[in-house]
Amino acid sequence: MATPRDTTRRPDALTLEVVELIGEVVARFHADYEEAAAERALTGAQAKLLSLLSLEPLPMRKLAQKLRCEPSNVTGIVDRLEARGLVERRPDPGDRRVKVAAATEEGRRVARGLRESLRFAREPLAGLSETERVALRDALVTMLRDD
């Protein structure tokens, strides 16, 4: 019996269809996210970084890992957001030699507005029952757990 990680067998038609649908969902989500970011004069990368920082302050290296980019890129993004008053740098309480980036109150407000304006995911999900949303969430969590 093939396991989900078994790559020696060709995927069945259902798996291929699911992969295509996931790709379409990702493309639509990215388009909606980019539009919502642009409405706030942010790039997609700036919006993503601001969204991460609205949850918790993070060191630059950790931000780079989460964004899957070089730390020098993160520095530039933080610089631009800091110039707009959306992010600030602070000493890490656990290690004062390390700087963390943190969303300001205005940054948290902008990030909240960004999340609330994402129409693509919210509208179709509202059409699903709670049971369907729970099943979808659980399936996605299972898929991501193996990552």
Side-chain angles (χ1 to χ4, degrees), residues 81-97:
L81 292 173
E82 190 173 36
R84 290 185 54 188
L86 302 176
V87 167
E88 63 187 9
R89 287 177 171 91
R90 309 176 182 157
D92 184 331
D95 183 350
R96 299 194 56 79
R97 296 170 296 171

Side-chain angles (χ1 to χ4, degrees), residues 8-134:
T8 60
R9 297 176 55 166
R10 290 185 62 117
D12 60 86
L14 176 60
T15 298
L16 290 173
E17 182 181 9
V18 170
V19 168
E20 289 296 318
L21 290 168
I22 289 171
E24 181 63 23
V25 166
V26 168
R28 289 186 186 184
F29 178 80
H30 278 298
D32 194 28
Y33 198 83
E34 292 287 333
E35 183 180 320
E39 288 170 2
R40 288 153 183 81
L42 296 170
T43 65
Q46 289 171 336
K48 176 72 172 166
L49 188 142
L50 185 60
S51 292
L52 287 171
L53 293 179
S54 72
L55 302 174
E56 63 178 328
L58 292 167
M60 304 294 240
R61 198 165 299 288
K62 183 79 160 186
L63 279 168
Q65 289 171 345
K66 287 183 175 278
L67 293 174
R68 293 188 165 104
C69 68
E70 292 297 317
S72 59
N73 292 345
V74 169
T75 300
I77 297 168
V78 169
D79 287 345
R80 288 185 283 287
L81 292 173
E82 190 173 36
R84 290 185 54 188
L86 302 176
V87 167
E88 63 187 9
R89 287 177 171 91
R90 309 176 182 157
D92 184 331
D95 183 350
R96 299 194 56 79
R97 296 170 296 171
V98 175
K99 292 281 188 192
V100 297
T104 62
E105 185 58 42
E106 176 66 6
R108 285 189 293 279
R109 187 191 65 73
V110 169
R112 187 172 40 256
L114 180 66
R115 278 190 301 276
E116 290 170 358
S117 72
L118 295 174
R119 295 170 296 280
F120 166 69
R122 185 178 60 237
E123 291 170 6
L125 286 173
L128 299 176
S129 71
E130 182 175 355
T131 301
E132 290 169 322
R133 289 192 316 271
V134 167

